[in-house]
Amino acid sequence: MPIRQFQAQRMRAPRDFQPIDSTPICVEIGAGKGKHALLFSANHPEFQLIAVERTREKFVAMQKQHQLEGQNNLTPIHADALPWVVHALHPAQVQQFFILYPNPEPHNPAQRWLNMPFFEFLLSRLQSGGQITLASNIPEYIEEAQQQLIDVWKLPFVKERIAETSARTHFEIKYLERGELCQQLIITKPVDYTTRFDDFQPLQGKQPTEVSAE
């Protein structure tokens, strides 16, 4: 399906927004209660992970557990991912994005990650050779994303079946216990890959540009 251009200049900064200046970083979008974020940061102290969650209840649960465990390489963020990414991240700053079991948007396919114009902006924040891990328990979601990678985004990827013993998120545990097929796409950004946002710097709290109606 055709993808229109993302209007980054229209994005308002999240409340209590703080820009991220460290490089490089990893980012988890939709981190939930933080099970994967806490495991990843504990097992990979060499990486700095930013875990973004929009739902306050889930964010608070992640924050409390982080305070108990104390990983200094994990930063939980309570924000909507789209404006946060636009305002907080610099071009080619991210080593890896994790998008694990996102809402499949059954009634609004245009809001699925690889169908959104925003996905191009997300790619601009990813380093050359960086990766995006997209996981789902819905075969049709993975199949559609795979086709978008081929037809629209022209990106190399590997499709993997997630092991039955995997336990990265609460959703993953539940789905695998029910015997559902969980899969992931490991998407890689080639060295020569370009987007229209490669030179777009963070807005960092500036008011969005007003665009007059035609």
Side-chain angles (χ1 to χ4, degrees), residues 57-99:
E57 180 183 355
K58 293 178 180 178
F59 167 76
V60 169
M62 170 169 55
Q63 191 177 47
K64 287 180 178 177
Q65 192 61 34
H66 179 227
Q67 288 168 350
L68 290 173
E69 297 187 21
Q71 294 94 321
N72 59 14
N73 61 327
L74 171 61
T75 304
I77 298 287
H78 181 219
D80 184 291
L82 273 66
W84 182 84
V85 166
V86 169
H87 285 266
L89 299 182
H90 296 270
Q93 186 180 10
V94 179
Q95 288 173 302
Q96 186 162 7
F97 283 106
F98 296 98
I99 307 174

Side-chain angles (χ1 to χ4, degrees), residues 10 15-16 29 53 77 86 92 94 107 160 178 196:
R10 296 187 180 187
R15 184 179 300 174
D16 301 324
I29 294 176
E53 174 54 42
I77 298 287
V86 169
V94 179
H107 303 298
E160 299 175 343
R178 294 197 307 217
R196 290 170 287 188

Side-chain angles (χ1 to χ4, degrees), residues 20-142:
I20 304 296
D21 293 323
S22 56
T23 300
I25 58 172
C26 299
V27 176
E28 181 171 0
I29 294 176
K33 296 180 180 179
K35 185 172 180 63
H36 172 264
L38 292 157
L39 284 170
F40 180 87
S41 56
N43 292 332
H44 299 281
E46 71 276 20
F47 292 118
Q48 292 291 325
L49 176 64
I50 314 295
V52 184
E53 174 54 42
R54 180 176 59 184
T55 305
R56 178 162 187 79
E57 180 183 355
K58 293 178 180 178
F59 167 76
V60 169
M62 170 169 55
Q63 191 177 47
K64 287 180 178 177
Q65 192 61 34
H66 179 227
Q67 288 168 350
L68 290 173
E69 297 187 21
Q71 294 94 321
N72 59 14
N73 61 327
L74 171 61
T75 304
I77 298 287
H78 181 219
D80 184 291
L82 273 66
W84 182 84
V85 166
V86 169
H87 285 266
L89 299 182
H90 296 270
Q93 186 180 10
V94 179
Q95 288 173 302
Q96 186 162 7
F97 283 106
F98 296 98
I99 307 174
L100 306 179
Y101 303 96
N103 184 338
E105 302 288 352
H107 303 298
N108 193 2
Q111 291 299 309
R112 296 171 190 159
W113 281 100
L114 274 76
N115 296 345
M116 290 195 292
F118 173 74
F119 192 72
E120 181 182 4
F121 191 92
L122 196 73
L123 291 170
S124 76
R125 308 298 98 169
L126 191 63
Q127 294 180 345
S128 294
Q131 294 184 325
I132 299 173
T133 299
L134 176 69
S136 178
N137 65 315
I138 301 174
E140 294 79 13
Y141 188 100
I142 291 292

Side-chain angles (χ1 to χ4, degrees), residues 101 136-139 161-166 170-183:
Y101 303 96
S136 178
N137 65 315
I138 301 174
R161 179 175 184 148
I162 296 167
E164 295 177 6
T165 55
S166 188
H170 294 96
F171 282 125
E172 187 165 83
I173 293 169
K174 179 176 70 173
Y175 298 147
L176 290 171
E177 283 180 348
R178 294 197 307 217
E180 296 183 20
L181 172 64
C182 293
Q183 300 175 98

